[in-house]
Amino acid sequence: MPRYEPARIEPKWQAWWEAHGTFATPRLPASRKRYVLDMFPYPSGDGLHVGHPEGYTATDIVARFERMRGTSVMHPMGFDAFGLPAEEHAIRTGTPPRESTARNIDTFRRQLKMLGFSYDWNRELATTDPEYVRWTQWIFLVLHDTWFDPVEQRGRPIADLPIPPEVEAGGERAVAAYRDEHRLAYQSEAPVNWCPALGTVLANEEVVGGVSERGGHPVVRIPLRQWMLRITSYAERLERELDGLDWPASIKKLQCDWIGRSTGAEADFFIAPSQDASRAFNDWKAARAVSGFPARPGRDVLRIYTTRPDTLYGVTFMVVAPEHPLLDALTTESQRDVVTAYREAAARKSDLDRTDLACEKTGVFTGAFVIHPLSGASIPVWVADYVLATYGTGAIMAVPAHDTRDHEFATTFGLDIITVVEPIDRVVDPDERFTGDGRAVASGPYTGLATRACIARVADDLEEAGLGRPAANSKLRDWLFSRQRFWGEPFPILHELDDAGRPTGIVRPVEERELPVSLPELADFRPGQTPDPPLSRAPADWLFVERDGRRYRRETNTMPQWAGSCWYYLRFLDPRNTLHFVDPEIERAWMPVDLYIGGAEHAVLHLLYARFWHKVLFDRGHVSCPEPFGRLVNQGMILGEMEFTGYRKAEGGWVSAERHGPDDVGARVPAEQVEKQGEHFVLRDAPSIRVESRAYKMSKSRGNVVNPDQVVREHGADALRLYEMFMGPLEATKPWSTAGVGGVRGFLDRCWRLVVDERADDVRLARQVVADPPSDEHLREIHRTIAKVTKDIEALSFNTAIARMMEFVNVCTPLEKRSRAILEPFIVILAPFAPHLAEELWEVLGKAAPVSLEPWPTVEERWLHDETVEVPVQIRGKLRGRIVVPAGADASALEAAARTDPRITELLAGRRIVKVIAVPGRLVNFVVEG
RNA sequence: GCCGGAGUGGCGGAAUGGCAGACGCGGCGGACUCAAAAUCCGUUGCCCGCAAGGGCGUGUGGGUUCAAGUCCCACCUCCGGCACCA
C-alpha cells in the first residue's frame, strides 16, 4: 500500500542531496548571482520554533527557484552563538557555555536539515568558532585604527589624522591621547546602564522603560570605563544611504526615527554677571563679532541647541539638565539648597520614573539670568529633568508659546508666554499651542518672515555675529560595546601596567598574527555583584602578558552579542579563509546580499549595527559596496492557535466579556461551545454571554507553542513548509491552525496520487499517467500555472502560488488520462515548495534525479490566452448577465454582443440608454435613465 | 500622546478602479462500503422565494466615478513600535 509517506522519502532525499553535493555553491558565481540570506538563528535550548521555518522556507523557495533558472545562488546558514541566554543556562546548570552551545547548535542543525533547506552546509559557521572570533576581533582592530573625517564624511586610518600643532607640542603621549579621542572604538568613563540582576551593563537600546529588554530587570546608572563605538559619526550616512535600498518603507522610517537627525542651530546666551550686566554683555557681543563663534563654549555663556531659531524672540526662560556642567556655577547662594536637593532627587530617579511622570514637569530656579543675544532682555535659568544632559548641549532656550513641553513647564511655574509665530491662513484658538510652521510675529526685524526662511535668516545672522552656528543633532548615541560577561568575544586589547601593576592608561592592540584572543578556561564564569567582569578572575598566564619588555593586562570586558552578527554574511562567502576575513575577489563577486529575510524585531539594532560596520569596512577598502543588504523583507510573526476566552465571576457564574472586571477569571472555551452572533462570539448555551476571540503570541506560559518536530513527525517537512507559506502573506502576522496543516497535507497526498498508483503493492506509476499529448485545454492549464507560480515566487507571494498549484491538481485529479507533458513540468514547479515529494515523484516518473536542479519550465505565451472570453454585462453598475465573445473583441463588438443577449435586451427594453461603457476583455456597462 | 500596519463568509485568506469571497479549513449532501475511516463528486456569504429571480453585503459615516474592498475626507476598533531628543 504505497501511500505518501514523508517519513520515508524525506530522509532519503536529504541524504541524496548531501551525498551528491547538490546545493554546493561555487567559489565564484558562474552566471547571474543571487545572494539569498536568512537572519541566522540564536541556538536557544528550546530548539527551533515554528517562526524560524517561515522565513527560512521563503528564502529556500527563492534559492531553489533561482538555481533552477540557472542563477548562481549563495544560500548559507550559521549560528549566532554567543550571548546571554546560553550563559544564563550555563550558570544555572553548571555546564560550560561552550558545551551547551555546541549541543544547541547540533539540535538546530538537525532540525534545519530535517526541513530540507537547500543550504550549502560546507559554509556553516558559528560566531563562537575561534576562527570566526579571530576575524571579529580583527574588525574591532580596524574600528580602533579608524577615525571619521567629517569633511570627507568617511572613515580613514588613524595614522592620517591631522595632529594640531598644540597637540604635537605636547609630545608623544599627547599625540597618542589625541588619536585615542578620535578612534571609532574608544574608551569612555560615561555613566552606563548597569543591570545588577544580569551582572552587566547594557546598551541604551537594550534598556526599555528603565528595565532590561531581556528579563525586565531594573537598571541603574553608574559611571564605568567602557568601550564605545562612534556610530554617531556615521549617523548622517546611515540615514541618507537608506535611500537607495529596497527595504520596507516602515523599516526605513523606523531606522530614520531611531537615528533621529534634526537640524537647527546652536546659540550662546551670555550669563549675566551680578554687576554691570549690560556693559559686560555689550563688550562680550563686540568681542564675539570679531572672534566668531568658538568651537567650545566658555564658562561665561550658556550654549543651547534649537531646531527653531526663528522662535528666538519667544524665549522667556532657559532650562539646563540636572547634570549640566555649569549648573553649580550658575546657581546663586540663595538657591543653592533647593538646586542641590533637586539635582540629588533627579539622580536618584531611574529613567522609568522620569518617563512615567512625563506629564508632570518638575524643576527649580537657579537664581541665574542670561541675556537674550538679540533683544538684550534678562532671562531666568531653571534646572529641570525634562531636559536631557545627553542630547544637544544639555540646555535649551524655552519657547513656551510654541513648544508643548516648555508650555507645560511655564504653566506649572507661572512663567511668561510670548507668541512669536502665527499660522498663515487661520486663526489660532486661545488654548492652542501652535507648534507648526507659519509666519513670524513680534520678532523684531524678522517679523513677517515665513518659518523656514526665518530659521535660515536667524541662523545666518547669529553666525555672522559670532553668537551661534548651524548645527545638527541625532538621537542616536554612541554604541556601548563592552559587556561584563564571560560568553562573548574578548577584546584584542592590552592595557599597559606600571611597575606597581597599575594601568598607565596606554592601550596596545594585540598584533594581528596573535589573533584570536581566545576565552580562557574559567571554573567560575558567573558575573559578580560588582561590574568587575568574570575575565578579571582568569588565570594570570592569560590575564598578564609581556610585550617589548612592558607588562600588560588584557582587557577583561567582552563584546556584546551583536558583534558576531554584524558581519557573518561576509564570512559565509569564504568561511575557511585563514589569510583574510573574506577574499576580496569573492566579496566583489557575491556582495551585496540580494534578499535578506528575517523578523522585524531586528529592524533597528542588528540592521543598524551591521550597516555601520559595513560602512567602516567599505571606507577602509575591505569591502566593495557601501550597503550590505540590497533588499530586505520582514516575515510576520506566527501566533498561536485562535482562542476563545470566557470570563467567570469568582462565585462561578459567567460574565459577558465586554463587562468583565479585574477579579473575573478568564478561561479557554472550546470552539464548539461558541457561535458567532452579529459582531461578536457568544456562548452557544448562553447567547447573552460574549466571549473574546483572539490569537496570542506563542509562549511557554500560555502553552500554545507549536513544535516543528511534532508537525514533521505527523505530516512531514514538506507539509510544514507548504503550510507556513500557505497561511497568508509572508509579511503578515498570522495565527497557527492545526487544521490548516492537515489541509495542506491533503494537497500533498493528492499530488502523490496524481502520479503514484496507491492500490499497487509497491511504488508504481498510476495507470492514468500516459505519454499521450495533452489537450489544448490542459496545456493552457499547465502554462497558466507555470506563469502564475513564476510571477508569484518573484513577488514572494507564496500563498497564491500554492493556491494555483492546488487548482491544477484539482483539474488533474479526475482525469482518466494524465499526460506526462503536463505532469512533469508541474512536478518541477512544485519542487521549490515541496522538494522531497517532488524528487520522489520525479523518480517514480522515471526521470533522472535531482529535480531540484531541473531547468525551470518556460511559459508558452500562446497558451495563456483563450479564444473566447466571458464578459460581465452591467446595467447601471449592477450585474445583469454575461456574454461570451472572441478574446480580441473591441468595444463596439462587445456592446453589440451585449445588446443581442436576450436577457439584456429584455431589461433594456423601453429605457433610454444614456451612455455605454465597454472595456475590451473586462465588461460592458449600460447607463440608463430612470 | 506620536508614528506605522490592519479591519472582507463560521475560520485562514484572494481580488492591475471593472463579475467580491480564488485556494484551503470547517459545514451540508451524495457515491463507494455490511458499516466506518480513507477517497472521489457536488454544494456552501446573508435574507426573501417552490422556482425563475430579487434584495443586501468588504469596520462606521460621507465623497469622487458609468463603476469603489481598492481612490479622497472624517471617525471607530485591534495589533506593533516610539515615548520629554528641544
Side-chain angles (χ1 to χ4, degrees):
Chain A
M1 295 290 123
R3 303 173 57 146
Y4 167 49
E5 286 176 285
R8 179 177 62 81
I9 65 176
E10 288 176 355
K12 167 181 161 186
W13 288 104
Q14 285 157 16
W16 197 96
W17 295 326
E18 189 151 337
H20 292 78
T22 309
F23 305 120
T25 311
R27 182 174 171 272
L28 294 173
S31 53
R32 187 181 92 112
K33 71 94 184 173
R34 291 274 104 171
Y35 186 174
V36 181
L37 182 66
D38 293 300
M39 288 185 187
F40 68 165
Y42 174 77
S44 75
D46 300 329
L48 216 61
H49 181 269
V50 287
H52 289 115
E54 190 189 12
Y56 299 165
T57 304
T59 52
D60 195 57
I61 291 168
V62 172
R64 286 172 174 274
F65 168 70
E66 288 291 352
R67 241 181 246 120
M68 293 167 86
R69 295 220 285 186
T71 308
S72 290
V73 174
M74 176 66 66
H75 188 45
M77 181 46 84
F79 303 97
D80 187 16
F82 275 124
L84 271 178
E87 193 171 355
E88 296 288 320
H89 179 262
I91 291 163
R92 269 199 316 278
T93 60
T95 349
R98 190 165 291 285
E99 283 176 28
S100 59
T101 301
R103 238 191 346 262
N104 292 350
I105 288 178
D106 288 343
T107 304
F108 265 69
R109 190 190 301 106
R110 175 188 64 74
Q111 290 181 307
L112 289 168
K113 288 193 171 181
M114 161 185 94
L115 293 171
F117 296 130
S118 63
Y119 297 121
D120 178 357
W121 282 105
N122 295 321
R123 295 173 183 273
E124 179 191 338
L125 58 82
T127 52
T128 47
D129 297 338
E131 269 303 285
Y132 189 87
V133 168
R134 170 184 177 188
W135 295 106
T136 306
Q137 291 171 338
W138 177 84
I139 295 172
F140 176 82
L141 293 180
V142 172
L143 289 155
H144 188 254
D145 184 61
T146 303
W147 66 288
F148 188 81
D149 182 338
V151 179
E152 296 189 16
Q153 277 287 306
R154 66 182 183 95
R156 299 174 57 191
I158 197 73
D160 296 354
L161 176 70
I163 308 293
E166 66 271 22
V167 173
E168 194 92 62
E172 207 179 301
R173 290 221 143 196
V175 170
Y178 185 79
R179 285 195 173 127
D180 285 350
E181 268 173 46
H182 287 81
R183 296 176 190 273
L184 293 182
Y186 64 98
Q187 297 182 81
S188 148
E189 190 75 38
V192 295
N193 305 301
W194 165 249
C195 177
L198 293 175
T200 186
V201 303
L202 299 169
N204 284 321
E205 291 84 346
E206 292 170 315
V207 182
V208 178
V211 298
S212 64
E213 185 189 23
R214 204 186 280 281
H217 305 293
V219 171
V220 294
R221 294 180 77 80
I222 56 167
L224 200 65
R225 182 189 62 83
Q226 296 293 334
W227 281 97
M228 308 288 289
L229 297 185
R230 208 178 298 281
I231 190 171
T232 49
S233 57
Y234 278 81
E236 193 183 334
R237 270 173 64 190
L238 286 168
E239 187 190 40
R240 186 159 35 86
E241 291 169 21
L242 279 170
D243 258 2
L245 300 178
D246 182 7
W247 287 22
S250 59
I251 299 295
K252 287 191 187 183
K253 179 136 195 326
L254 227 52
Q255 287 221 352
C256 270
D257 289 350
W258 192 266
I259 296 165
R261 262 179 58 83
S262 71
T263 55
E266 284 180 358
D268 284 347
F269 282 65
F270 185 66
I271 299 168
S274 44
Q275 287 154 23
D276 232 354
S278 71
R279 219 184 89 198
F281 171 66
N282 288 331
D283 290 350
W284 171 79
K285 220 171 152 179
R288 275 296 179 88
V290 178
S291 71
F293 190 78
R296 284 167 201 263
R299 292 184 65 82
D300 55 345
V301 297
L302 186 61
R303 179 163 291 184
I304 58 93
Y305 169 74
T306 178
T307 54
R308 291 292 298 272
D310 64 305
T311 59
L312 198 53
Y313 279 88
V315 175
T316 56
F317 59 100
M318 312 292 284
V319 186
V320 299
E323 300 85 5
H324 195 278
L326 285 186
L327 179 56
D328 246 344
L330 282 166
T331 307
T332 57
E333 282 319 308
S334 60
Q335 292 299 100
R336 183 143 327 263
D337 288 350
V338 283
V339 168
T340 307
Y342 183 77
R343 194 168 51 182
E344 281 171 2
R348 273 197 307 273
K349 274 194 206 173
S350 68
D351 282 358
L352 182 62
D353 297 333
R354 282 202 190 186
T355 48
D356 254 13
L357 299 169
C359 38
E360 273 198 40
K361 297 273 181 291
T362 60
V364 295
F365 179 46
T366 62
F369 290 86
V370 295
I371 299 175
H372 192 286
L374 302 183
S375 73
S378 189
I379 298 171
V381 180
W382 287 65
V383 54
D385 65 4
Y386 81 92
V387 170
L388 306 176
T390 45
Y391 185 79
T393 59
I396 61 156
M397 61 178 217
V399 185
H402 305 293
D403 181 280
T404 321
R405 300 148 300 181
D406 297 346
H407 186 270
E408 277 170 26
F409 193 81
T411 316
T412 309
F413 295 99
L415 297 160
D416 292 345
I417 298 171
I418 303 172
T419 299
V420 291
V421 188
E422 274 178 356
I424 294 200
D425 43 8
R426 64 188 177 91
V427 183
V428 249
D429 87 72
D431 298 336
E432 183 188 346
R433 254 143 291 124
F434 178 63
T435 56
D437 284 9
R439 183 183 296 123
V441 294
S443 296
Y446 305 99
T447 302
L449 283 177
T451 297
R452 290 297 121 189
C454 191
I455 287 174
R457 278 277 284 283
V458 173
D460 283 355
D461 290 354
L462 284 175
E463 190 169 26
E464 183 81 9
L467 302 173
R469 68 171 165 201
N473 255 301
S474 167
K475 288 201 253 182
L476 188 68
R477 307 290 151 82
D478 273 342
W479 176 9
L480 197 154
F481 192 67
S482 39
R483 298 291 182 277
Q484 291 66 51
R485 301 293 300 221
F486 171 72
W487 192 230
E489 299 88 345
F491 283 80
I493 288 290
L494 304 173
H495 296 276
E496 191 185 83
L497 301 176
D498 64 16
D499 295 338
R502 286 180 307 240
T504 62
I506 291 181
V507 154
R508 174 185 176 131
V510 173
E511 299 290 324
E512 198 180 314
R513 61 187 152 72
E514 289 181 86
L515 298 179
V517 177
S518 299
L519 284 167
E521 292 293 325
L522 222 56
D524 178 13
F525 40 79
R526 285 174 305 184
Q529 295 303 301
T530 64
D532 210 17
L535 287 185
S536 61
R537 301 192 297 270
D541 61 342
W542 185 88
L543 199 52
F544 298 100
V545 294
E546 207 174 298
R547 296 284 184 279
D548 302 327
R550 295 213 173 117
R551 267 176 52 84
Y552 293 89
R553 182 175 192 262
R554 285 193 193 278
E555 173 63 58
T556 54
N557 285 301
T558 52
M559 298 187 200
Q561 193 185 346
W562 306 109
S565 59
C566 272
W567 73 283
Y568 71 110
Y569 56 92
L570 290 168
R571 189 63 180 173
F572 275 142
L573 301 178
D574 194 11
R576 312 285 168 246
N577 196 326
T578 53
L579 298 175
H580 299 280
F581 76 118
V582 55
D583 183 305
E585 186 190 13
I586 296 176
E587 188 277 331
R588 266 197 310 278
W590 286 105
M591 283 299 287
V593 174
D594 297 286
L595 177 64
Y596 193 27
I597 296 187
E601 66 273 20
H602 295 114
V604 241
L605 303 187
H606 160 61
L607 288 170
L608 198 62
Y609 293 157
R611 291 178 62 222
F612 165 51
W613 278 36
H614 197 86
K615 286 184 189 302
V616 176
L617 290 171
F618 174 71
D619 287 352
R620 294 300 307 271
H622 298 298
V623 295
S624 61
C625 52
E627 284 286 342
F629 313 121
R631 181 175 182 204
L632 173 78
V633 174
N634 290 121
Q635 90 243 17
M637 204 193 323
I638 296 181
L639 303 174
E641 194 122 6
M642 181 82 122
E643 293 177 28
F644 296 101
T645 309
Y647 291 89
R648 278 177 188 279
K649 289 213 172 293
E651 314 90 75
W654 289 104
V655 195
S656 199
E658 79 280 12
R659 282 199 301 270
H660 85 269
D663 298 333
D664 302 326
V665 199
R668 262 193 93 156
V669 181
E672 54 288 356
Q673 291 177 22
V674 161
E675 66 185 3
K676 187 141 190 183
Q677 202 169 81
E679 295 281 280
H680 305 279
F681 283 91
V682 298
L683 287 179
R684 180 157 289 175
D685 298 333
S688 62
I689 303 298
R690 277 189 206 165
V691 295
E692 279 172 4
S693 83
R694 206 195 126 170
Y696 298 86
K697 208 164 157 169
M698 286 190 192
S699 70
K700 271 194 219 158
S701 57
R702 195 165 259 283
N704 60 350
V705 177
V706 176
N707 177 322
D709 281 297
Q710 201 186 325
V711 178
V712 170
R713 219 174 300 129
E714 238 171 273
H715 293 294
D718 284 338
L720 175 63
R721 293 169 54 116
L722 210 65
Y723 173 63
E724 295 212 4
M725 294 300 98
F726 187 62
M727 291 171 84
L730 181 63
E731 301 189 59
T733 304
K734 333 161 252 279
W736 184 266
S737 154
T738 302
V741 188
V744 160
R745 164 63 189 267
F747 165 69
L748 294 175
D749 281 323
R750 284 153 71 84
C751 290
W752 175 263
R753 284 194 295 270
L754 216 49
V755 174
V756 181
D757 181 357
E758 208 175 20
R759 304 217 177 124
D761 292 330
D762 46 4
V763 176
R764 164 187 315 167
L765 211 53
R767 58 171 174 77
Q768 294 94 332
V769 177
V770 294
D772 307 5
S775 68
D776 286 2
E777 186 197 340
H778 294 147
L779 279 167
R780 271 197 283 274
E781 193 60 33
I782 184 65
H783 281 284
R784 283 175 190 186
T785 305
I786 297 166
K788 175 76 173 150
V789 170
T790 306
K791 191 174 125 254
D792 284 351
I793 294 177
E794 285 167 348
L796 307 184
S797 177
F798 305 112
N799 54 333
T800 50
I802 294 165
R804 190 65 189 83
M805 290 192 285
M806 287 174 167
E807 287 186 70
F808 176 84
V809 171
N810 290 345
V811 167
C812 291
T813 296
L815 297 183
E816 272 304 302
K817 287 190 174 189
R818 303 172 194 147
S819 171
R820 278 179 167 271
I822 63 167
L823 286 185
E824 286 171 7
F826 171 72
I827 300 306
V828 174
I829 61 170
L830 177 66
F833 297 84
H836 310 90
L837 174 63
E839 291 286 6
E840 185 71 14
L841 294 180
W842 196 244
E843 191 179 69
V844 175
L845 283 167
K847 313 286 283 183
V851 72
S852 296
L853 297 180
E854 194 66 17
W856 192 254
T858 46
V859 176
E860 287 174 36
E861 194 67 25
R862 66 190 166 119
W863 296 113
L864 299 185
H865 309 291
D866 278 309
E867 284 150 27
T868 58
V869 287
E870 196 189 62
V871 168
V873 181
Q874 299 178 339
I875 295 175
R876 301 224 309 174
K878 290 199 186 288
L879 181 69
R880 286 294 182 257
R882 295 190 173 85
I883 51 171
V884 175
V885 294
D890 63 8
S892 58
L894 220 54
E895 185 184 335
R899 281 177 185 276
T900 55
D901 182 82
R903 191 170 145 65
I904 298 298
T905 314
E906 185 189 329
L907 288 165
L908 286 177
R911 318 191 70 166
R912 204 167 73 82
I913 296 167
V914 180
K915 194 173 174 186
V916 180
I917 287 114
V919 184
R922 300 243 64 125
L923 63 14
V924 183
N925 188 6
F926 292 98
V927 185
V928 297
E929 253 180 7

